[in-house]
Amino acid sequence: MRTSTWMLLGCLLACNLSAHADGSGTERFRTLTVETVYPFKQTDFDPPVALAAHKQSADSDPMTTLQRHFAAMRSGDVDAFLSTWTRSARSQLAAQQLAGDAARSAAAQRWSKVLTGREAAVETRVDFGRYVLLAYVLRDSASGQIVVKDTLAFEQEDGAWKLTQALARSPLLSSWNAPNGRVQVAPDALVDGAR
């Protein structure tokens, strides 16, 4: 480089540093939009598939696992309930929400209250990579009215489908059915479910 170029660079650098050295820089508030696309396959069931009518087999598909999940809750069998979850989710649930006899008993009472007189049916299946989401409803048996509507995530572990918490923070789990297929999330939200 020639001497004049070095002098020009030095002057620009010095001028730039002196302009901000006194803290008189210009503040601006801006946003950055990062778009992540989640391609998935959606299967809608019309009419919804009643879990009571679904053929059982050993966790060979997510619907069977969901059926066993609700059966364990109906009977108040906490160990059978935990067996429907992946190892990591199972240990998290056992340590945080189902630790001790009192917590297990309280959970069984809650499950009984939520499920008594209600039938579960799957309305939609979403296939997303290695995950499957099942959107289900609980209907009051007498009135036919929907009392719970939720979506659960499943993944295979050791060849069996298990409920997972891997997508707990993913916008896919909570917003797969957004009307226009778009959703905004908080800046700290994780989109891949990993920390």
Side-chain angles (χ1 to χ4, degrees):
M1 265 189 195
R2 291 190 291 181
T3 307
S4 59
T5 306
W6 280 110
M7 289 177 55
L8 178 61
L9 285 174
C11 178
L12 287 173
L13 184 58
C15 293
N16 193 28
L17 289 175
S18 66
H20 295 289
D22 64 357
S24 64
T26 305
E27 285 186 347
R28 293 183 292 156
F29 292 94
R30 302 176 57 213
T31 62
L32 171 67
T33 301
V34 177
E35 197 166 287
T36 304
V37 177
Y38 291 91
F40 59 85
K41 180 176 80 173
Q42 179 176 332
T43 306
D44 298 315
F45 302 110
D46 188 19
V49 177
L51 284 181
H54 181 69
K55 283 188 176 179
Q56 283 197 17
S57 59
D59 295 341
S60 59
D61 64 75
M63 285 236 250
T64 300
T65 304
L66 185 59
Q67 186 180 44
R68 286 190 335 98
H69 179 73
F70 282 126
M73 292 172 74
R74 283 184 197 286
S75 66
D77 187 338
V78 175
D79 291 328
F81 167 83
L82 288 170
S83 75
T84 62
W85 292 88
T86 59
R87 277 185 292 280
S88 61
R90 185 169 46 245
S91 63
Q92 181 182 2
L93 287 166
Q96 295 176 2
Q97 297 175 24
L98 298 169
D101 292 338
R104 286 172 165 242
S105 178
Q109 288 175 7
R110 279 192 314 274
W111 297 339
S112 177
K113 187 176 180 179
V114 169
L115 293 173
T116 298
R118 295 177 177 161
E119 297 175 11
V122 175
E123 292 188 318
T124 305
R125 174 185 170 128
V126 172
D127 289 271
F128 170 65
R130 68 179 201 217
Y131 302 103
V132 169
L133 308 181
L134 292 180
Y136 72 91
V137 294
L138 287 179
R139 288 186 188 275
D140 182 80
S141 300
S143 68
Q145 197 169 24
I146 294 174
V147 290
V148 174
K149 196 171 190 159
D150 199 10
T151 303
L152 294 172
F154 299 79
E155 69 177 311
Q156 281 195 312
E157 183 177 79
D158 300 328
W161 285 98
K162 301 287 184 179
L163 285 126
T164 182
Q165 292 285 2
L167 297 179
R169 293 180 53 96
S170 170
L172 183 68
L173 182 62
S174 59
S175 303
W176 63 269
N177 58 349
N180 62 359
R182 297 179 80 82
V183 65
Q184 290 185 348
V185 296
D188 64 339
L190 299 175
V191 295
D192 62 0
R195 231 190 217 296

